[in-house]
Amino acid sequence: MAVAAQRAVSRNDPCPCGSGRRFKDCHGSLRGDAPAVPLPPRPVRRSRYRPAGEDWASLDEGEQDRLGVLMEVALAHQRAARMREAESAYRAVLEQAPRTHDALHMLGVVRLGLGDFPDAERLIREARALRPSYPAIETNWSLVQRTIAARDRSGVEILAEHALPLLCARIAGERSAVPSKADDAPQPLHVVGVAGEATRDAVWVSRRIGELLSGLQPTAWHGDDPAAATAWQGFDSRLIDPAAGRQPAAGDVVLASLECETDSWLREPLRRVLVFVQAMSPSWCLERLRRVAADGKRPVALVFTSRTMASRFGVVDYVVPPPIDLAEFMQAGDADRAPSSVLRVAAVGQDGRRVIAASDAVLLQTAAEQAGELRLFDPGPLRYSLGSLPAVRCFSRREIDIGGMLRGADVYLHRALPWWAEDSGRALFGAMAQGMPVLCPRESLYAEYVDDGVDGFICADGSSALAAIETLRADRARLRAMAEAARAKAMRLFEPRALANAYASVVEQWRIAA
Amino acid sequence: MHVWQSHLGENVAFDPLYHTNPRHEIMSFLRDPPGTVLDIGCGGGMTGQLIKHKFPGTPVIGIEINAHAAEHARQHLDHVVCAGIDDVELARDAPGYVVSTVLLLDVLEHIYDPWRALQRVAGWLVPETRVLASVPNVRNLATLSELAGGRFEYAPNGVLDITHVRFFTRSSLRDLFEQTGFEVRGLEPLTQPALIDPVIVHRRPGRIETRSLGIQYRSFEDLEDLYALQYVIDARSRGAARAAA
């Protein structure tokens, strides 16, 4: 809108100095007789933005122009997800004209995006008072109200987080009261998992646990909607259908995921259940564990994939490494493709379990610009904030698998999420197996598997992750050494025979102990 | 003033906010240089500007029915045709351009007969030309919940933009393209948790509830559809002969 005015003065236009002569005969003269007085600074851009209200009416034309341009600049920043820049431009407008409803409104939206709900509510309320029943303001007003209500509900998760160890302690306490079955003949073993799309985390975990326990010759079951899939991907499992009498009959039950539905078929209270726990939101964990444990009546033991995860539940029954399949990640990356000034950083947007908000977009943006290339798998809402950056390459999970995306990368950035929003570590450990150092937040469930400075970096915050990227970008020899260490560790942790033994021995220990 | 008074009719003002909205999320579908781009419904040309920023030197031509918007677009794009799809003949109006990527960003839902419009576009293209289109998803949780609660109210923008005349879900969008001369290679939901999460009052595995609606979802894909305010469809033209059939 202001671009036309930004162009150079045409040679036939009146001279901006106000002399009344044409530009080419005055300051624009090519004959060397231009006036010695320098041309007065001309407003670089003009803006048509003129809101109603006393604030603006009292300003002179030049100031109105300046603020109008600022508003346009702010809006452009906001659209490009440069929230901090947008904020300072809106604030500059409000300093001169504090009753500019558009600036109050849009600054409120920016603050909402940055997570400052009270400030957002205050700003949009003020805008609303200045400009009643304006549809856009009303829309964002109801958005801020709903967001605040949703935040209040998320207090439930915090409460559930504290309740988890209490419930687990109760389950553990009840376990000793179960009569021993040591004298009985060996019980049949049932493994129950989730069927569905291969991209989904719980489905992948189910299949892997089925494979790792296959030496124990269990019967594999899935309980999902029959329309969703026929069986575990690449694994022969039966559909649980209690109405037709098809369900795990007597014997011990291994749940490959807490996502498995159990209410319809798991009825005998004294039946032993072993659960391979994947992190899910604390309230889900609570509800599922409570049901599986029949409110404490049924003996339940839990298997975790890290000690950190076990500590969140307050019990350490069994800990095994995540069920990573090295065969998925055996192809080495194409080490020579990128110029040596570029570090190819890989990250995952969503993990096939939940739609994750783009909370760390600013860090990812900085990482992309600093490293030179960010490869983003299943970007989800990150497409909005990062999609137009030249350094970002997005990969849909529908077109490529995670191993394929990792193949073109040098280093893997594990995003900092609440512990219960982390996936089962498939990308993190897959990256190590493929020969990539990993950048792992200190709070991650899997940080205990990373040796800081050896096969990855443990990052206290975003800026230490950026420092690690810079280190690896500048020092190729270090990158290669750490890559080799990462690969060696993955080969050791997930060596197929050893991993299968670890999983099988957990199940056998449990059957003896219970 | 009501929305219909301010946003429908002959004398609707040119709204810079509406016509100069660059589409950052669409850029995420362009991983490699796209060749010559045809932006149908290019508005003020802001998306073309983004393309030229991400892939310098990319030729972008636009078609735009709104004369004010087309005038803005001329400042950013290599060539702009100011007309509706039905009145454009690409070979005549933009001679010398061989298009390799077509953008149809939030256009089809504004057209009374998007089927014939797509068929027309297909006729301009050599086989295997990439077409990226974004279309609102009417089956998003916020709209569903409002409808379940008895409200289906048009707004100045969004899924129920008062200028929308067609509504699509994942499957009807796929049909739209497959029936008009295109092969669908991808259909990505553009999820917006910031707008959908606040509507949800209760959730457990496989089920979410709003104030007026409870929905059972079968899979993560299904959940994503409920979170998506729009889809991006990634299609390839099958060629003029097939389109006419």
Side-chain angles (χ1 to χ4, degrees), chain A residues 79-367:
Chain A
R79 283 179 173 151
R82 294 185 295 264
M83 294 305 178
R84 296 291 174 196
E85 290 87 343
E87 175 169 357
S88 56
Y90 286 128
R91 288 205 189 281
V93 172
L94 289 171
E95 210 161 278
Q96 290 303 308
R99 292 162 57 81
T100 308
H101 69 269
D102 284 328
L104 288 165
H105 172 207
M106 296 319 285
L107 180 57
V109 174
V110 169
R111 297 302 298 169
L112 184 66
L114 292 170
D116 186 346
F117 305 142
D119 205 27
E121 190 181 22
R122 181 184 61 77
L123 288 159
I124 298 176
R125 179 185 292 121
E126 283 181 35
R128 216 167 153 243
L130 291 166
R131 186 82 196 269
S133 27
Y134 184 64
I137 297 182
E138 291 306 311
T139 303
N140 283 316
W141 175 249
S142 78
L143 177 67
V144 76
Q145 293 300 320
R146 279 184 282 137
T147 306
I148 288 171
R151 193 234 7 218
D152 292 345
R153 281 195 300 277
S154 77
V156 171
E157 293 304 334
I158 297 166
L159 206 64
E161 214 172 333
H162 290 292
L164 260 184
L166 299 177
L167 177 76
C168 291
R170 169 113 191 269
I171 295 172
E174 298 293 325
R175 191 176 311 145
S176 54
V178 175
S180 166
K181 295 203 174 178
D183 309 334
D184 298 353
Q187 294 276 314
L189 183 67
H190 303 280
V191 181
V192 182
V194 180
E197 312 115 14
T199 47
R200 194 169 148 206
D201 209 52
V203 177
W204 172 76
V205 167
S206 297
R207 176 174 61 88
R208 284 297 295 152
I209 289 176
E211 287 168 359
L212 290 167
L213 296 182
S214 58
L216 301 176
Q217 300 188 320
T219 311
W221 299 87
H222 64 271
D224 239 1
D225 185 334
T230 50
W232 300 357
Q233 181 205 28
F235 202 84
D236 185 20
S237 65
R238 308 174 190 181
L239 173 69
I240 295 178
D241 186 357
R246 283 195 292 271
Q247 54 184 313
D252 296 331
V253 172
V254 171
L255 286 186
S257 164
L258 263 183
E259 282 186 38
C260 301
E261 184 274 334
T262 52
D263 292 351
S264 66
W265 55 273
L266 186 58
R267 296 186 187 281
E268 310 90 321
L270 290 185
R271 198 146 169 209
R272 302 181 296 189
V273 179
L274 180 70
V275 180
F276 282 85
V277 179
Q278 284 176 273
M280 323 198 293
S281 77
S283 63
W284 282 16
C285 286
L286 262 190
E287 180 173 331
R288 294 297 304 133
L289 277 176
R290 190 179 62 74
R291 285 168 180 267
V292 173
D295 289 319
K297 289 194 288 291
R298 185 180 293 129
V300 173
L302 306 177
V303 190
F304 302 97
T305 50
S306 77
R307 289 193 306 277
T308 311
M309 195 198 287
S311 71
R312 298 289 185 177
F313 289 73
V315 290
V316 189
D317 288 342
Y318 305 101
V319 176
V320 289
I324 302 300
D325 182 4
L326 284 182
E328 263 189 281
F329 304 103
M330 285 315 283
Q331 277 174 284
D334 46 346
D336 299 325
R337 192 182 60 82
S340 60
S341 61
V342 170
L343 185 76
R344 296 162 304 175
V345 179
V348 173
Q350 296 182 149
D351 65 354
R353 281 196 306 163
R354 61 177 58 79
V355 183
I356 290 175
S359 56
D360 51 354
V362 176
L363 170 66
L364 291 174
Q365 176 175 349
T366 317

Side-chain angles (χ1 to χ4, degrees), chain B residues 13-67:
Chain B
F14 168 66
D15 179 357
L17 300 190
Y18 196 87
H19 285 102
T20 61
N21 190 12
R23 302 291 302 276
H24 296 273
E25 73 279 17
I26 299 302
M27 294 301 105
S28 71
F29 293 89
L30 299 177
R31 216 161 47 210
D32 301 300
T36 298
V37 175
L38 168 63
D39 187 353
I40 302 178
C42 64
M46 303 308 277
T47 301
Q49 213 183 4
L50 282 185
I51 295 174
K52 286 171 176 287
H53 175 67
K54 186 161 179 172
F55 302 106
T58 301
V60 181
I61 57 181
I63 296 176
E64 173 58 46
I65 195 165
N66 180 309

